[in-house]
Amino acid sequence: KQEVTQIPAALSVPEGENLVLNCSFTDSAIYNLQWFRQDPGKGLTSLLLIQSSQREQTSGRLNASLDKSSGRSTLYIAASQPGDSATYLCAGPHSGGSYIPTFGRGTSLIVHP
Amino acid sequence: NAGVTQTPKFQVLKTGQSMTLQCAQDMNHNSMYWYRQDPGMGLRLIYYSASEGTTDKGEVPNGYNVSRLNKREFSLRLESAAPSQTSVYFCASSEAGSPSNQPQHFGDGTRLSIL
């Protein structure tokens, strides 16, 4: 069974910093990994989906990488802004080719002005 | 744009009562999902529907039933609510495929308390 761990659990930084959020997984047979954002009291917003054939994906100031051999994915946020404050979650398949996703517990990010 | 709409937003039930959570999407998506989110547990998939008329169990299906009424609507029913089902329930949809391989669009959730 896949286990997904996100470190750190919480992060508080001043505006303008470049950030790295970490996601580790135990089953390296995953075929993709997703990153989401969740604002308080809201549902998740899909940020990036990295297929196993890709090493990284970029969207604006966000860049996500996937290293299956080390069981790690990182989400890089450039030039952080207060509007980036949210909880960031990663998810990978439950096991191998399973359609069931396993979510991490998230990193709660606060970017203060 | 409405996206994924869930009703109700909040509900309190007594143990043993039944309830149906409603979900509708207006993006013409084929796949729809129900999740629950509990503190310290992360999101867990309850059921998933790849298309109208088909449903599959997720990680935690016990105590729930689902109906894919048509392409737009996917409902979740608790037949006899238990305190362990107190949670925030999210509905999501994607163009096609499974929850593990497609970007998903989420509703804002139903906060359900069972006393």
Side-chain angles (χ1 to χ4, degrees):
Chain A
K1 176 184 172 182
Q2 182 77 268
E3 292 182 12
V4 177
T5 304
Q6 293 188 246
I7 295 173
L11 189 60
S12 180
V13 300
E15 183 177 6
E17 280 204 3
N18 299 323
L19 308 173
V20 176
L21 307 183
N22 296 297
C23 172
S24 61
F25 45 90
T26 55
D27 185 350
S28 61
I30 63 170
Y31 52 87
N32 64 41
L33 189 128
Q34 300 188 60
W35 282 93
F36 299 85
R37 166 187 174 136
Q38 185 173 26
D39 293 285
K42 298 292 186 180
L44 279 66
T45 299
S46 181
L47 296 174
L48 292 164
L49 170 63
I50 314 171
Q51 302 289 353
S52 61
S53 58
Q54 303 168 317
R55 293 296 302 271
E56 62 180 60
Q57 281 277 10
T58 298
S59 176
R61 294 183 294 108
L62 304 180
N63 176 276
S65 64
L66 175 62
D67 184 345
K68 291 177 59 178
S69 62
S70 66
R72 291 185 61 187
S73 177
T74 58
L75 178 66
Y76 177 81
I77 303 176
S80 59
Q81 302 172 357
D84 295 330
S85 299
T87 297
Y88 291 82
L89 300 101
C90 63
H94 203 52
S95 63
S98 171
Y99 63 80
I100 299 174
T102 297
F103 284 79
R105 297 179 184 180
T107 294
S108 177
L109 172 66
I110 297 175
V111 181
H112 48 87
Chain B
N1 293 333
V4 178
T5 302
Q6 292 184 237
T7 55
K9 295 188 185 305
F10 302 93
Q11 185 71 47
V12 179
L13 293 178
K14 294 181 179 179
T15 298
Q17 288 185 317
S18 62
M19 170 159 194
T20 299
L21 308 186
Q22 306 286 353
C23 174
Q25 52 91 8
D26 63 1
M27 296 171 284
N28 201 35
H29 285 172
N30 288 299
S31 298
M32 297 185 73
Y33 321 99
W34 277 105
Y35 292 91
R36 60 179 288 174
Q37 186 174 36
D38 302 293
M41 295 292 293
L43 263 77
R44 292 178 291 172
L45 182 68
I46 304 172
Y47 270 95
Y48 133 69
S49 170
S51 62
E52 182 180 348
T54 68
T55 60
D56 286 290
K57 294 179 180 179
E59 186 179 357
V60 288
N62 291 344
Y64 305 95
N65 289 303
V66 290
S67 295
R68 184 72 183 269
L69 304 171
N70 47 55
K71 192 172 185 178
R72 290 187 63 248
E73 298 173 288
F74 189 35
S75 63
L76 178 73
R77 183 163 178 83
L78 288 69
E79 290 290 354
S80 180
S84 61
Q85 294 177 304
T86 293
S87 188
V88 181
Y89 290 86
F90 288 101
C91 178
S93 69
S94 63
E95 288 188 12
S98 77
S100 285
N101 65 11
Q102 290 288 329
Q104 299 171 62
H105 298 257
F106 281 76
D108 284 340
T110 294
R111 284 145 186 82
L112 182 61
S113 293
I114 300 164
L115 307 177

